[in-house]
Amino acid sequence: MFKFNGIDHLNITVKNLDKSVDYYQRIFGFEVLEAEDYNGTPYKIIGTSQKGMLCMYEDKDLEVKNNNIGHYGFNIEFTENIVEKLEEAKADVRYYNGQAIIQYPNSKSIYVHDPDGNQIELSENFAGGL
């Protein structure tokens, strides 16, 4: 058995690399840490060093569809007026039963969609407080 230290990165394919990078920079302050081309396919690694990364490959012909990932979760600091701030940053905030902030037993979450429709859960407590 190996010691688990955490999730290193998520690798996703996006339709428009620049649009997606802009989104994650505006919403989460991610930095571009690497920008290359692999076998003719542009990609960028973005995120916050030693915390979490996204590796995004561009496919302009991508058909946006369910890829068996329900969502991925980011733990963030919940600030005052967080929903308004997300909407000002043009995040696609999802409302459920009229609520943007969903209360769970040990945490609360907000759900947003990125430009390709990937759902992201923003949680107040790491792993939902479990």
Side-chain angles (χ1 to χ4, degrees):
M1 181 180 337
F2 295 92
K3 178 184 172 203
F4 177 76
N5 292 323
I7 294 174
D8 183 79
H9 70 279
L10 300 173
N11 186 308
I12 61 175
T13 302
V14 299
K15 192 170 189 75
N16 183 311
L17 189 57
D18 291 333
K19 184 176 181 179
S20 292
V21 168
D22 174 68
Y23 174 86
Y24 285 94
Q25 287 178 320
R26 277 187 291 109
I27 306 301
F28 302 109
F30 282 2
E31 299 175 52
V32 175
L33 301 166
E34 186 174 300
E36 297 289 334
D37 186 277
Y38 181 74
N39 290 334
T41 303
Y43 76 90
K44 290 185 181 181
I45 297 176
I46 65 171
T48 303
S49 185
Q50 301 302 309
K51 291 196 177 197
M53 306 286 181
L54 289 176
C55 178
M56 296 188 292
Y57 283 84
E58 184 175 77
D59 179 355
K60 293 185 184 300
D61 298 322
L62 178 70
E63 288 185 43
V64 178
K65 59 184 175 187
N66 184 343
N67 58 7
N68 295 329
I69 296 175
H71 68 261
Y72 42 94
F74 291 162
N75 172 256
I76 65 166
E77 180 181 348
F78 269 56
T79 60
E80 190 173 334
N81 302 319
I82 187 170
V83 173
E84 292 84 0
K85 290 175 183 176
L86 285 165
E87 288 176 339
E88 286 172 8
K90 295 185 172 78
D92 183 9
V93 178
R94 295 300 165 132
Y95 286 77
Y96 299 95
N97 297 321
Q99 301 293 314
I101 299 175
I102 309 303
Q103 184 65 53
Y104 291 109
N106 299 310
S107 187
K108 51 189 169 188
S109 294
I110 298 170
Y111 294 85
V112 299
H113 283 187
D114 76 4
D116 289 295
N118 295 303
Q119 187 177 67
I120 307 163
E121 178 182 359
L122 309 176
S123 65
E124 175 188 41
N125 294 322
F126 190 77
L130 299 175

